[in-house]
Amino acid sequence: EAQVTQNPRYLITVTGKKLTVTCSQNMNHEYMSWYRQDPGLGLRQIYYSMNVEVTDKGDVPEGYKVSRKEKRNFPLILESPSPNQTSLYFCASSPLNRGEETQYFGPGTRLLVL
Amino acid sequence: SQKIEQNSEALNIQEGKTATLTCNYTNYSPAYLQWYRQDPGRGPVFLLLIRENEKEKRKERLKVTFDTTLKQSLFHITASQPADSATYLCALSQTGFQKLVFGTGTRLLVSP
C-alpha cells in the first residue's frame, strides 16, 4: 500500500529539548516536504527536498532542520523547540514524473512544546 | 505578498445538490492550482490539479475551473453526499507540487 508514515503521531516536550520527527515513504518519490498547520493560517511549507542530498527552505524554515540521506526518509529536526513550534506537522511526497500528478500526505504529528 | 482566499464560513448544502467552493488569489500568477480534501485530524488528500492553460478539469463527480483573468478557481461537487463533508483546501504553485501555497480551506457540510 502506497503510504507516507510519520512518527511519533503525538509528542509533548519541553522548551529546548531536541527532537526529531521521522517521515518515510514507500513509493520511490523524488520530492518530499514538510508543512505545519495552524488554525487560521492553513498549511505552510517548512522545507522541501527534490531528491537525495537536495533540500531547500519553504516559507517558514526558522527553527527547523531537515536532511535527505536516503530517498525514502526525510526527518524534521527541531534543535531547540520553542512553544511557538506547537503545531500539527505533515510530511508529504510526490513523484517528479509529469505523468503521475499526485501528492501523498502523512497522517500528521501533533506537537506540544511546553 | 501573495494571498489566497477561501470562504472561511462553512458551506451547508443538501444531499444531491451541487456544492461550489471558491478560491481567489491576489499578487500571484500560479502555473498550477490544486484542490485537496482534509478530514478532521487527518492529512490532506490530493483531488485534482489544473494548469494555467487548462480552463476546466473533471474527475468523476468533481469539476475544477481555473480563470487566470479573474484569479479564481471554482471547485464543484455534483450529486453531493454526506460522505463529501470535509474541509477543502486550494493550493497554488509555479512548479507542480513544489513550493505550494495553501489557502485556509472551506468546510463543506452535506446534510441527508
Side-chain angles (χ1 to χ4, degrees):
Chain A
E1 180 193 351
Q3 61 181 353
V4 177
T5 56
Q6 295 179 227
N7 282 293
R9 294 291 314 281
Y10 304 91
L11 180 60
I12 301 174
T13 190
V14 295
T15 299
K17 187 176 181 182
K18 181 179 178 179
L19 67 92
T20 299
V21 183
T22 65
C23 172
S24 183
Q25 49 94 4
N26 64 358
M27 298 162 281
N28 201 36
H29 286 167
E30 292 81 11
Y31 180 77
M32 298 184 74
S33 62
W34 276 102
Y35 294 88
R36 61 178 289 175
Q37 188 172 35
D38 302 288
L41 295 176
L43 279 157
R44 293 178 294 167
Q45 192 174 54
I46 304 170
Y47 269 95
Y48 65 94
S49 170
M50 302 287 283
N51 214 324
V52 175
E53 302 292 1
V54 181
T55 63
D56 208 347
K57 296 177 181 178
D59 293 322
V60 289
E62 296 77 20
Y64 304 95
K65 282 176 58 177
V66 292
S67 69
R68 188 92 183 272
K69 293 183 169 54
E70 304 165 284
K71 199 172 186 180
R72 64 182 293 128
N73 297 322
F74 191 44
L76 180 69
I77 303 154
L78 284 72
E79 295 266 359
S80 183
S82 62
N84 64 12
Q85 293 178 297
T86 292
S87 188
L88 178 57
Y89 291 87
F90 290 103
C91 180
S93 76
S94 64
L96 290 181
N97 181 345
R98 284 175 60 85
E100 193 181 347
E101 291 177 344
T102 189
Q103 176 159 233
Y104 292 84
F105 278 79
T109 295
R110 195 169 288 278
L111 172 65
L112 173 61
V113 182
L114 300 173
Chain B
S1 63
Q2 61 208 30
K3 192 174 179 183
I4 303 172
E5 289 184 350
Q6 293 186 258
N7 196 338
S8 58
E9 291 182 15
L11 177 63
N12 289 275
I13 65 167
Q14 264 197 314
E15 183 175 9
K17 302 289 187 185
T18 296
T20 298
L21 284 69
T22 304
C23 174
N24 294 300
Y25 58 93
T26 55
N27 298 328
Y28 199 40
S29 296
Y32 300 84
L33 189 145
Q34 303 170 31
W35 285 89
Y36 291 78
R37 170 189 172 132
Q38 188 174 25
D39 292 289
R42 307 191 76 161
V45 175
F46 171 78
L47 297 174
L48 279 167
L49 176 150
I50 187 167
R51 292 178 174 78
E52 61 180 338
N53 61 351
E54 298 173 317
K55 297 296 182 191
E56 180 181 300
K57 204 158 196 179
R58 293 175 186 258
K59 179 182 176 183
E60 297 171 356
R61 294 185 295 113
L62 309 180
K63 185 178 89 170
V64 172
T65 64
F66 190 9
D67 189 325
T68 54
T69 302
L70 289 179
K71 293 187 182 290
Q72 180 182 80
S73 173
L74 298 178
F75 176 78
H76 307 272
I77 305 176
T78 58
S80 59
Q81 305 163 2
D84 295 326
S85 298
T87 296
Y88 291 86
L89 308 174
C90 163
L92 310 178
S93 72
Q94 288 289 346
T95 52
F97 292 94
Q98 296 104 60
K99 302 276 286 185
L100 270 180
V101 179
F102 279 84
T104 52
T106 297
R107 192 159 154 239
L108 173 66
L109 298 169
V110 182
S111 307

